[in-house]
Amino acid sequence: MIVTERSGKMYKNSVLTVLLFVFIMACTTAVTAQDEGESSLGLSLGATGFHLLDEHAAYLIFRGTGITPSVLYSFTDGRDKHYADIMFTYSNLRTVSEVYKTPFLAGRLRYSCLRQVAEGNLFNQSLDLSAGLSVSSFFSKASYKFQMPGLWANGIKTWYGSHSADVSIQAGYNTGENSRVELLCYLPVISNVSRPAYSSSGDYNYEKNDWQIRPFGNTMFLTGNFGFNAILSWVHNPRNKMAFTISYEFNYNHCTKPDRVTLFSNSLRACIMFNLKSGAKE
């Protein structure tokens, strides 16, 4: 048993080291390339519709509408593209029964590196395809409450955290001289997932009288922690220093350990992108 636990810890630490190494190398590549490419920074704000089923807390589907601001960064150098984003979501989820609710908070940090692999024309407009890798961290927390006479009582807290290495694919199509449509998809291949223990009191800290959330957990591959994220964007660039983006994002996550959790969302955002640097030669 001691050998098994020690081997499991060594394996988990090795996976985390690989993910960290990939992230550092990707960031180093982006910084090194800054001398010649074009970069932009944007701020977006939108609304999201979230659905959550966490059997660790209840066999009920919680749903609601919330806000989802994000900060975006992009860097392009020839056929290479780099993206980074920080996203937050807050919703107050409810069920069909009015006696249950849960404030829901989620956040994501992601860095992607893609390279254009194909280019062509469709209806006299440019069409391109890019593929690459990304590293991402997603974390969500739900604090379940139930109604009692005159007050909302606190129930269990649950969370879902995933640090993953993903495959990313992007397709882009120019719809005009200053406009473009892009579809960007992410699929996690290997993940380190943090979830509550089987027992509702397994992660409870009786000294602090609260649940103790662990940032890391078990390492899982594609089928153990399935996720899919797709972002469809329309980009309009009327000026050299500014661009406007409207995007629709679909996100789905499903994990069965220790208890089944499924969450998905549909988000709509509007974004303003500012051009930070152009690599055009004088």
Side-chain angles (χ1 to χ4, degrees):
M1 182 67 178
I2 297 177
V3 176
T4 302
E5 291 180 354
R6 183 176 300 174
S7 300
K9 291 182 179 179
M10 291 178 61
Y11 177 70
K12 181 174 70 174
N13 292 335
S14 299
V15 171
L16 295 178
T17 301
V18 171
L19 293 177
L20 181 61
F21 176 77
V22 171
F23 178 76
I24 293 176
M25 290 300 295
C27 291
T28 303
T29 301
V31 172
T32 303
Q34 291 288 330
D35 295 334
E36 299 181 358
E38 298 181 352
S39 58
S40 59
L41 181 68
L43 177 65
S44 73
L45 184 63
T48 181
F50 226 101
H51 293 71
L52 170 67
L53 170 62
D54 192 341
E55 294 183 356
H56 188 78
Y59 291 87
L60 297 170
I61 298 177
F62 289 76
R63 57 175 62 90
T65 303
I67 59 173
T68 174
S70 65
V71 178
L72 311 171
Y73 173 78
S74 67
F75 173 74
T76 303
D77 182 17
R79 302 172 68 89
D80 296 324
K81 303 176 182 179
H82 302 266
Y83 298 103
D85 72 89
I86 302 174
M87 178 276 297
F88 297 96
T89 296
Y90 177 78
S91 303
N92 196 8
L93 308 182
R94 293 180 176 271
T95 68
V96 292
S97 173
E98 295 295 330
V99 298
Y100 300 102
K101 70 175 183 178
T102 175
F104 180 81
L105 182 65
R108 180 186 68 213
L109 173 64
R110 178 162 59 201
Y111 177 82
S112 310
C113 179
L114 301 96
R115 184 172 180 82
Q116 184 175 307
V117 295
E119 185 177 11
N121 288 281
L122 180 64
F123 303 117
N124 297 322
Q125 295 290 346
S126 176
L127 176 69
D128 58 80
L129 180 67
S130 302
L133 300 173
S134 71
V135 287
S136 63
S137 291
F138 176 84
F139 188 86
S140 65
K141 184 182 76 171
S143 303
Y144 292 86
K145 301 177 182 294
F146 57 95
Q147 192 172 32
M148 296 184 66
L151 59 88
W152 284 95
N154 294 322
I156 192 173
K157 289 184 181 180
T158 68
W159 62 89
Y160 168 80
S162 175
H163 311 282
S164 62
D166 319 321
V167 173
S168 51
I169 298 176
Q170 183 187 55
Y173 179 68
N174 292 338
T175 57
E177 183 179 357
N178 297 319
S179 61
R180 175 179 171 86
V181 175
E182 296 179 341
L183 177 63
L184 185 56
C185 300
Y186 296 94
L187 183 67
V189 177
I190 181 172
S191 311
N192 184 273
V193 180
S194 175
R195 291 283 293 134
Y198 277 102
S199 170
S200 60
S201 61
D203 293 289
Y204 197 82
N205 189 322
Y206 289 94
E207 294 182 357
K208 297 182 178 181
N209 196 29
D210 199 359
W211 276 267
Q212 183 173 348
I213 298 175
R214 295 173 286 108
F216 300 101
N218 299 319
T219 300
M220 303 179 185
F221 291 93
L222 180 64
T223 55
N225 178 56
F226 180 78
F228 179 73
N229 181 222
I231 305 172
L232 179 64
S233 303
W234 176 74
V235 183
H236 183 55
N237 190 9
R239 301 179 181 178
N240 189 34
K241 296 297 183 180
M242 185 181 297
F244 302 95
T245 301
I246 297 177
S247 63
Y248 162 77
E249 178 177 356
F250 172 77
N251 188 70
Y252 178 87
N253 295 94
H254 177 80
C255 184
T256 57
K257 295 180 180 180
D259 292 305
R260 181 166 69 104
V261 57
T262 301
L263 50 92
F264 71 89
S265 62
N266 296 279
S267 305
L268 185 64
R269 300 186 183 93
C271 177
I272 300 178
M273 301 289 294
F274 298 94
N275 187 19
L276 301 178
K277 179 177 180 293
S278 175
K281 301 286 188 296
E282 295 290 343

